């Protein structure tokens, strides 16, 4: 067999925004402000829900878990990005990259399922209001949340292992803002067709299936709301559901465009922007969408401030 000399990769260089050398300080400031706003905003929602007995309902139980998830999800990506911008040292070890990817995929799957759970909660509340207290009991709520957090773990660990068991050779420059599936597959020197198929199937199972379930829920919800008499009840139902729907569109829209494309159609600039939508923009707007548009949360905030 012909011998080939490969330089096997022991660490990666996350290039991030290396092509904007004069804006490194500005980008650091912007991302630091965004990260702090995510931590403070989502943390405040958790505190409000925890301290206000009025908000001890299934809907706000799921919202509290979602806010905590957003903090974890963003913390997988942003601290490393901020460190790279501050120190200009973009190196990340092979193992650290694998760990980042694994947690990123697990938390991404959790967000997909948790959004489905929140849609199901609204479906039962609006379409079956008389049975809501019986169906959405405390035991079921806990089971749904635990299931959302755990069901993606084995599959995403398997996907991470499959990617990092491929031979990485030659260039170690990862043209992305964090360790992600498609940029990593671009650096492998073997046949990645099976990896791409596996990633596509995982995206369908953890992305498109939850998205279709959410759409199905909202078709039923909207048809039920339209049968309500015109008034405050209809407006409140539309307002509650529209908040959740905005988050769904932002998250699933940008993530689907990224992961449902083949490696050959990967465009680093576009994918960097899209990745910022589902890792940073959605968590940043979550407190604004659910907080400023929700009177109960605003009342809870006023109670905390008055104390």
């Amino acid at each position: 067999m012909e011998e080939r000399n490969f330089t096997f990769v022991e660490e990666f260089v996350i290039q991030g925004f290396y092509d904007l050398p004069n804006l490194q300080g500005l980008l650091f400031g912007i991302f630091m402000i965004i990260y702090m706003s995510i931590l403070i905003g989502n943390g405040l929602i958790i505190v409000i829900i925890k301290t206000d007995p009025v908000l001890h309902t299934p809907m706000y139980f799921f919202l509290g878990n979602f806010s905590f998830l957003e903090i974890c999800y963003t913390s997988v990506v942003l601290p490393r990005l901020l460190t790279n911008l501050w120190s200009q040292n973009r190196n990340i070890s092979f193992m650290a990259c694998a760990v980042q990817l694994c947690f990123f995929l697990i938390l991404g799957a959790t967000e997909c399922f948790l959004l489905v759970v929140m849609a199901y909660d609204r479906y039962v509340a609006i379409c079956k209001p008389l049975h809501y207290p019986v169906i959405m009991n405390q035991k079921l709520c806990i089971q749904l949340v635990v299931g959302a957090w755990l069901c993606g773990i084995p599959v995403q660990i398997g996907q991470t292992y499959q990617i990092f068991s491929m031979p990485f050779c030659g260039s170690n420059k990862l043209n992305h803002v964090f360790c992600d599936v498609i940029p990593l597959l671009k650096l492998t020197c073997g046949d990645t067709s099976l990896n791409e198929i596996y990633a596509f199937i995982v995206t369908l199972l953890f992305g498109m299936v939850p998205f279709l379930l959410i759409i199905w829920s909202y078709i039923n919800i909207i048809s039920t709301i339209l049968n309500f008499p015109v008034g405050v009840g209809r407006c409140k139902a539309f307002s509650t559901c529209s908040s959740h729907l905005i988050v769904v569109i932002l998250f699933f829209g940008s993530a689907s465009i990224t992961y449902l494309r083949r490696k050959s159609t990967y465009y680093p600039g576009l994918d960097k922007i899209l990745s910022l939508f589902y890792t940073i923009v959605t968590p940043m707007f979550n407190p604004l969408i659910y907080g400023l548009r929700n009177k109960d949360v605003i009342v809870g905030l006023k109670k905390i401030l008055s104390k």
Side-chain angles (χ1 to χ4, degrees), residues 28-280:
F28 176 84
I30 292 173
F31 286 123
M32 176 60 77
I33 293 171
I34 291 174
Y35 187 45
M36 295 304 298
S37 67
I38 290 171
L39 295 179
I40 294 171
N42 286 284
L44 193 58
I45 286 182
I46 295 172
V47 172
I48 293 170
I49 292 172
K50 191 71 175 178
T51 56
D52 192 347
V54 177
L55 302 181
H56 292 174
T57 62
M59 176 177 134
Y60 293 106
F61 173 68
F62 297 137
L63 177 57
N65 274 273
F66 187 71
S67 295
F68 176 69
L69 172 64
E70 295 289 54
I71 291 174
C72 297
Y73 190 53
T74 308
S75 296
V76 173
V77 175
L78 268 180
R80 168 69 67 171
L81 176 60
L82 289 170
T83 302
N84 294 348
L85 289 170
W86 178 258
S87 66
Q88 297 299 305
N89 180 14
R90 300 183 176 89
N91 293 356
I92 182 171
S93 68
F94 191 87
M95 183 57 68
C97 188
V99 171
Q100 185 185 53
L101 176 65
C102 188
F103 276 100
F104 174 75
L105 293 176
I106 289 173
L107 294 174
T110 302
E111 181 151 352
C112 293
F113 288 121
L114 202 51
L115 286 170
V116 174
V117 169
M118 295 170 75
Y120 176 70
D121 173 68
R122 292 300 84 207
Y123 164 75
V124 177
I126 293 174
C127 299
K128 299 180 180 180
L130 298 178
H131 299 91
Y132 182 76
V134 178
I135 297 174
M136 300 304 295
N137 56 70
Q138 186 179 19
K139 181 180 179 181
L140 179 63
C141 291
I142 294 174
Q143 288 175 341
L144 289 172
V145 168
V146 172
W149 278 91
L150 297 181
C151 62
I153 292 177
V155 175
Q156 301 299 4
I157 289 177
Q159 185 176 17
T160 303
Y161 174 78
Q162 187 185 46
I163 291 172
F164 280 88
S165 62
M166 294 285 292
F168 290 90
C169 46
S171 175
N172 67 339
K173 294 181 179 179
L174 194 67
N175 195 4
H176 204 54
V177 292
F178 57 90
C179 293
D180 203 356
V181 175
I182 299 176
L184 284 166
L185 290 178
K186 292 283 287 186
L187 299 183
T188 59
C189 54
D191 183 13
T192 61
S193 56
L194 289 178
N195 299 78
E196 291 184 54
I197 293 172
Y198 186 85
F200 184 80
I201 293 172
V202 170
T203 303
L204 289 179
L205 290 176
F206 292 91
M208 291 307 297
V209 172
F211 180 72
L212 292 175
L213 289 173
I214 293 171
I215 295 300
W216 175 83
S217 298
Y218 274 100
I219 290 173
N220 288 278
I221 288 170
I222 292 172
S223 62
T224 301
I225 292 175
L226 292 176
N227 292 325
F228 287 179
V230 178
V232 178
R234 179 187 284 191
C235 293
K236 184 176 180 180
F238 268 122
S239 177
T240 303
C241 295
S242 63
S243 299
H244 181 247
L245 205 54
I246 290 170
V247 175
V248 168
I249 292 171
L250 281 174
F251 179 77
F252 281 100
S254 55
S256 297
I257 295 172
T258 301
Y259 290 102
L260 290 179
R261 292 185 290 117
R262 291 183 60 83
K263 183 181 71 171
S264 57
T265 60
Y266 171 68
Y267 302 104
L270 174 62
D271 283 70
K272 287 178 187 179
I273 295 172
L274 290 173
S275 67
L276 294 179
F277 267 93
Y278 56 82
T279 57
I280 297 176

